[in-house]
Structure formats: C-alpha cells, structure tokens
Amino acid sequence: LNVQSLTHVMYAFVKISQTGEAQLIDTWADTDIRWTDQGDSWNDPAGYVYGCFNQLFKLKKQNRYLKTSLSFGGWTLSQNFSTIAATDAGRKKFVASAINVMLQYGFDGIDIDWEFPGVDTGMGNFVSPSDGVNFTLLLQEFRSQFAAIPGNGKWLLSFAASAGQDKYSKLELSKLSGLVDFINLMAYDYSGSWTSTTGHQSNLYPYANSQIDTNSVINAYIAAGVDPSKIVLGYPSYGRGWIGVSTNKSGLGQPYTGLSAGSWEKGMYDYKAIIDTLIPAGGYQVIWDATAQQSYLWSAAKQEMVAFDDALTVYTKAQYVNQKGLGGLMTWDAGGDTDNSRSDNLLNVARVALNGFDNSRNNLYYPNSKFTNINNMPDDASAGPVPEPAKPAIVLPTPAPTPVPT
C-alpha cells in the first residue's frame, strides 16, 4: 500500500450472514496467511493473528495517521442488509457483531457498502420500500454503540454512495450526513458493457449525449443537505474498454461490437496495464476531452476506446475537490495503480494536488482483543495529531484549462 499518500484504507469486503452476524469470507487472506518477508514468523508467541489484518495493524503502528475501516457488503454481498436493518433487534445484533470484529482485529471504523437500499440490483438482494429509513436507523445504531466503547478512541463511520439518482434518492441524505464522518461517492461506472455506445465512465462535467456527470451529482447531494466537506470523490483505478468502435469523433459516444481484452475480465483494464502495456505497445493516443474534463484512450487502427482516469484527470479532480470544499479523493481500488514511487501513480498525484491531509491519530488500543499482537498497545488516541508524511517527490501533470465548479 502507498501509505505516504493514504489516510484511510477500506478493507473490502465483509459479509452479513442471514442471521445478522459479521462473517469473514476469506479467512486465509484476512487472518491466517503468514508473510515471512513482512516479519511474520512461525516462531511467534501463541495467540497472534496474521493475514492482511495483521499487516494493516503493523502499518497503523508505523504510520499513526493511517486509519482502517472494515467495509461490509459490496455489489455481491448486500443480500441481507434489508432484512437485518428492518428491525431494532436485527440492527442491534448486526452492529454489535460488526463492532466486535472491528475491535478484535484492530480497525478504526466501519464502512457500509449496501448496494443499494430500496433498489433491486438483480443480485438476489432483499429489498423493501423502508430501506432508506432503515439505513438511517442502522447508522444511528452504530453511533450509539460506538459511544459505549471504553477508552479515548474515535471510531469512524462511513458509507459508499451511488452517483445514480435512482439510488441516492432513496436515502435520507441530510440525516446521514449528520451521522457519518464521510461519504465515499462512487463517481464511476457511468458507461460500460451495459451501454449501447462508448463513453466516459467518470466524467466531471456533461458532454454530448452524456446521461450523468459528477458535478451534477455532487450538487444534488449538497442540495439534499449533505455537508460538502464529508463528500469524498471517488475515481477508478481501472478503465473500461470497447472494440469494433466507429472511428467517428475519435471513438467517443460511438457504437461498438465487443469488449476489450481487459486485464482480469473482458472490458476491464487495470490502470497500470493501460499505462505500462497498452500505451507502450503503440497505436494509441491519450485524448483530453476539455468539455467533460476527462482523458480517454483511443486507437483508430485497432478501433478500441478505453475510458479511464490518468494523472491529468486525477489532478483535475483534486483541483475540483479543493475548489468545491469537498472532503478528499478515494479510489477503487489501490491494487490497480502503478508503482508507489512514480509520478503517474494516481494516489501520489492526489496526495500532492489536494489541499490538506488528515493527520489525526489512529487507534491502537484494543484491550479486549483476543490476539496478543493487537491487545498490547497504549491508549494514546487522544494525544493529538501526528506529523504528516513527506509528500512524494513527483512531477505533476501540466494543468489543463479547468472551469470553476458551480
């Protein structure tokens, strides 16, 4: 992880069982695997936890500004939110279970990624017209139980929010804004295999025939009562690609015959694959769309268009965040980025371009954890902020003309 450019890590995902309990879905990765090259040993004292949870806790000890949250749900694991959140008993049981996992494994908070309250996504989720109200009640229960945790820790609460009006309109946004520390706006996936033409997948502003743009979404959230400083603007560390694309308008907004080969599934490239493989192969050009304030990749010879965020796009979004008074940037996901030392690493660009840095102190005090490598730290969360890490020494992209957001 590029910890010099990160303040918060959302660990995704944890499942809600049918009985309303927090359920790890990959214990080998979460708690069991030992990385001897990262300091794990087969000769450690009894009672240690390993896996990614141990590695994250070690990073927290080394970087006291780094906060971690457990993310519940996601696109494939949101089936049981609706039924669990529908009753007071269900909410209390789930929240207590989630907090127990948070405290056992040394996390700083809970992130709820219910996709999506009141919306049938076709993923077999239970859905109710009362989901929006119950979502508010669920987060209120988290706040109540957070307040009962002993010690000086500040426990973080956040949720992942859709950019789709059909989804965010189901939420009590003004009430939610008062309950959470921040809202991660998933401002991506605007175009893809489900759209009849190519298009930007994360454009700041509208362009010809576009159906959605991030600026309009953020204005809608603010108009609904959300504190702008709690909106964290998401950008993708992946691209969506199409082939057999008409050569009109350099491939943007055009019909296509299929999906790009992709990195890990058809139509989906990691950002690092675009930068380190596609572009060096030749025949591609990066085009800046000044109207949408968005880059994309185009090859007339291969009739391929790839919608993605490059360094210039992320730099532009960082400037937008600064001007709009938003809470920062986030990405899905860190694994798609280039090497941590590079100037085209998107997290580095965001870190250098954004105003401010959350250097509040994380929590290391978990006296009731059953793991001896988690429960042995002092309660110093109230000691105040810690020094900011040095900014990465990178060269920022040349700024493109950027309109003042309205």
Side-chain angles (χ1 to χ4, degrees):
L1 282 173
N2 189 0
V3 293
Q4 69 173 340
S5 294
L6 286 170
T7 57
H8 298 73
V9 175
M10 312 287 124
Y11 188 85
F13 285 107
V14 183
K15 182 179 180 179
I16 308 172
S17 72
Q18 288 184 332
T19 56
E21 295 171 323
Q23 180 180 342
L24 303 182
I25 62 171
D26 187 351
T27 54
W28 174 247
D30 297 339
T31 63
D32 295 354
I33 186 173
R34 302 191 191 201
W35 282 288
T36 55
D37 62 336
Q38 297 297 321
D40 293 343
S41 171
W42 292 100
N43 298 315
D44 287 330
Y48 272 32
V49 65
Y50 294 98
C52 294
F53 289 176
N54 177 41
Q55 296 302 318
L56 284 172
F57 196 71
K58 289 196 290 186
L59 286 176
K60 285 178 56 178
K61 290 192 290 185
Q62 297 160 6
N63 307 276
R64 293 305 308 277
Y65 56 85
L66 185 67
K67 276 76 73 176
T68 60
S69 292
L70 283 167
S71 287
F72 283 81
W75 182 250
T76 61
L77 297 175
S78 291
Q79 291 91 342
N80 299 317
F81 271 118
S82 181
T83 52
I84 298 305
T87 67
D88 182 65
R91 292 189 293 269
K92 281 182 166 58
K93 181 179 181 180
F94 165 59
V95 170
S97 178
I99 290 176
N100 178 61
V101 176
M102 177 187 80
L103 296 176
Q104 285 296 317
Y105 295 107
F107 284 82
D108 297 275
I110 298 292
D111 177 64
I112 300 298
D113 192 354
W114 179 351
E115 299 189 16
F116 295 96
V119 177
D120 183 358
T121 62
M123 294 299 292
N125 301 345
F126 294 101
V127 179
S128 166
S130 301
D131 282 348
V133 172
N134 292 338
F135 185 47
T136 303
L137 294 173
L138 179 66
L139 297 192
Q140 286 175 343
E141 184 61 34
F142 270 107
R143 278 294 173 214
S144 295
Q145 293 197 31
F146 277 173
I149 299 173
N152 296 309
K154 172 178 169 53
W155 307 104
L156 300 173
L157 185 62
S158 61
F159 71 93
S162 173
Q165 192 273 341
D166 61 320
K167 300 177 179 68
Y168 65 72
S169 64
K170 302 288 197 301
L171 304 178
E172 298 180 308
L173 287 173
S174 180
K175 292 181 180 179
L176 294 173
S177 177
L179 289 169
V180 299
D181 295 282
F182 52 90
I183 298 169
N184 290 319
L185 179 62
M186 298 183 288
Y188 37 76
D189 296 340
Y190 296 169
S191 298
S193 59
W194 58 92
T195 54
S196 60
T197 61
T198 65
H200 296 303
Q201 71 149 336
S202 50
N203 46 291
L204 264 180
Y205 295 102
Y207 61 98
N209 300 316
S210 61
Q211 301 299 307
I212 185 173
D213 68 275
T214 298
N215 183 57
S216 295
V217 173
I218 287 176
N219 285 341
Y221 270 73
I222 295 171
V226 176
D227 180 347
S229 69
K230 291 189 176 183
I231 300 174
V232 179
L233 173 56
Y235 67 87
S237 290
Y238 60 89
R240 292 189 176 273
W242 302 265
I243 58 173
V245 179
S246 167
T247 57
N248 294 332
K249 298 181 180 179
S250 299
L252 181 63
Q254 301 303 306
Y256 60 91
T257 61
L259 301 178
S260 299
S263 301
W264 35 275
E265 70 174 59
K266 275 192 168 294
M268 301 281 285
Y269 287 111
D270 283 332
Y271 167 70
K272 60 189 175 186
I274 297 169
I275 297 299
D276 293 339
T277 303
L278 282 187
I279 294 175
Y284 293 91
Q285 62 180 130
V286 177
I287 297 176
W288 175 253
D289 183 342
T291 301
Q293 292 289 290
Q294 179 74 42
S295 296
Y296 70 98
L297 194 67
W298 168 243
S299 172
K302 298 180 181 180
Q303 291 186 274
E304 181 176 18
M305 184 243 175
V306 180
F308 81 114
D309 282 24
D310 64 358
L312 177 57
T313 305
V314 171
Y315 177 84
T316 302
K317 289 179 178 178
Q319 295 303 310
Y320 174 90
V321 166
N322 294 339
Q323 294 164 359
K324 200 84 170 176
L326 305 184
L329 288 170
M330 72 93 177
T331 189
W332 179 272
D333 62 84
D337 215 335
T338 56
D339 290 344
N340 294 346
S341 62
R342 289 169 43 166
S343 291
D344 57 12
N345 179 280
L346 299 180
L347 286 171
N348 285 342
V349 173
R351 167 77 170 99
V352 173
L354 286 171
N355 294 337
F357 186 88
D358 180 0
N359 62 333
S360 57
R361 189 178 296 262
N362 61 21
N363 298 307
L364 293 181
Y365 184 61
Y366 301 89
N368 295 319
S369 172
K370 63 184 177 182
F371 302 107
T372 53
N373 53 338
I374 302 291
N375 64 18
N376 60 357
M377 300 300 294
D379 184 9
D380 67 348
S382 62
V386 298
E388 292 184 20
K391 290 187 176 182
I394 64 169
V395 178
L396 286 171
T398 301
T402 305
V404 175
T406 57

